């Protein structure tokens, strides 16, 4: 059994936040846009299946899975169209996760973002919700590494760029691929189920099964976990 944050009792040197579903409540919006796009090109899939299979996964990997499992190759311009539709939906609906801004601003630890989203979407999401100043210059995208989540490359890249050893990092993640990637990187992980896409399972059993040491559903609980991990 993996040790919990409290059992380890070590102050993390760096907190790495996923973006979608952790900092911003974007997953219900983006998953709905992706589902609608896949349906348009003949992929018979519903939003819950898209959530279970693709949440936290970069678009290139998603399209590889669709081609392999459904036998449908996306037409030219499909990914770009879905991304544009998603950004338009963000403009109308996207919100920061409740309590995120205040909690992160008060966090007395180095922090960064490591996300499967591309840099344009990351900048758009964090800028739109007012969170970008909290992470300026410390936002890392899966396009910067050879392999996205569930491989450890992105988290290792973020830690290296920030100048910290993997074992000293604490990751906050909302998806199974993200938790898997963090554990493969040798990092501790707290699962987060405060996003709208987690209404089916606020306890996050699949995040625990993937290796999350604790699962929390809001920022006050997350702050308590990190504060406990800060104890000398």
């Amino acid at each position: 059994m993996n040790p919990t944050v409290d059992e380890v009792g070590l102050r993390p040197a760096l907190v790495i936040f996923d973006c979608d579903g952790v900092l911003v409540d974007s997953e219900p919006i983006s998953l709905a846009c992706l589902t609608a796009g896949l349906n348009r090109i003949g992929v018979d899939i519903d939003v819950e299946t898209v959530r279970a299979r693709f949440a936290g996964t970069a678009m290139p990997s998603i399209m590889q899975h669709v081609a392999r499992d459904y036998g449908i190759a996306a037409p030219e311009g499909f990914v770009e169209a879905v991304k544009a539709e998603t950004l338009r939906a963000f403009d109308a609906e996207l919100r920061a996760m409740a309590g995120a801004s205040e909690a992160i601003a008060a966090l007395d630890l180095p922090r960064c973002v490591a996300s499967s989203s591309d840099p344009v979407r990351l900048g758009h999401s964090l800028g739109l919700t007012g969170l970008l100043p909290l992470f300026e210059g410390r936002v890392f995208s899966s396009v910067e590494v050879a392999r996205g989540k569930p491989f450890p490359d992105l988290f290792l890249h973020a830690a290296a760029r920030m100048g910290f050893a993997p074992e000293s990092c604490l990751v906050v993640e909302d998806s199974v691929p993200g938790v898997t990637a963090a554990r493969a990187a040798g990092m501790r992980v707290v699962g987060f189920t405060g996003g709208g896409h987690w209404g089916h399972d606020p306890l996050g059993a699949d995040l625990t099964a993937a290796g999350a040491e604790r699962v929390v559903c809001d920022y006050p609980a997350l702050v308590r976990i990190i504060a406990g991990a800060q104890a000398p």
Side-chain angles (χ1 to χ4, degrees):
M1 180 180 296
N2 294 325
T4 67
V5 172
D6 288 344
E7 288 168 342
V8 172
L10 298 177
R11 176 184 172 93
L14 174 70
V15 181
I16 303 177
F17 291 87
D18 179 39
C19 182
D20 297 292
V22 171
L23 297 175
V24 298
D25 199 7
S26 57
E27 291 292 46
I29 304 169
S30 59
L31 294 173
C33 291
L34 176 58
T35 302
L38 291 174
N39 291 165
R40 285 198 303 270
I41 63 172
V43 180
D44 184 14
I45 194 170
D46 60 25
V47 70
E48 179 54 28
T49 303
V50 169
R51 186 208 67 79
R53 298 192 64 186
F54 301 136
T57 306
M59 281 295 283
S61 295
I62 292 173
M63 302 321 301
Q64 289 172 7
H65 282 287
V66 168
R68 182 192 68 203
D69 298 341
Y70 293 88
I72 295 176
E76 185 176 353
F78 172 79
V79 170
E80 290 73 17
V82 170
K83 287 182 177 181
E85 291 165 7
T86 301
L87 293 184
R88 287 195 294 271
F90 282 2
D91 288 339
E93 304 173 50
L94 187 64
R95 300 291 182 272
M97 209 65 70
S101 180
E102 299 82 359
I104 295 166
L107 184 63
D108 186 25
L109 284 170
R111 57 187 180 263
C112 68
V113 176
S115 171
S116 292
S117 291
D118 64 71
V120 171
R121 173 166 158 169
L122 278 170
H124 192 87
S125 298
L126 294 173
L128 192 64
T129 55
L131 297 175
L132 188 58
L134 297 173
F135 296 100
E136 197 75 61
R138 291 163 284 142
V139 179
F140 306 102
S141 166
S142 62
V143 304
E144 300 172 38
V145 296
R147 304 177 300 176
K149 303 171 189 178
F151 296 100
D153 304 31
L154 178 58
F155 288 127
L156 293 173
H157 171 70
R161 287 286 302 274
M162 293 292 294
F164 295 100
E167 61 270 18
S168 70
C169 300
L170 179 67
V171 175
V172 184
E173 262 288 353
D174 73 307
S175 74
V176 169
V179 172
T180 302
R183 294 298 295 146
M187 300 177 182
R188 293 179 287 152
V189 195
V190 174
F192 185 80
T193 62
H197 62 302
W198 272 105
H200 68 295
D201 179 16
L203 298 179
D206 49 356
L207 298 182
T208 300
E213 298 162 354
R214 295 287 184 87
V215 175
V216 298
C217 64
D218 57 34
Y219 265 82
L222 178 59
V223 168
R224 289 194 295 271
I225 289 290
I226 294 174
Q230 286 180 242

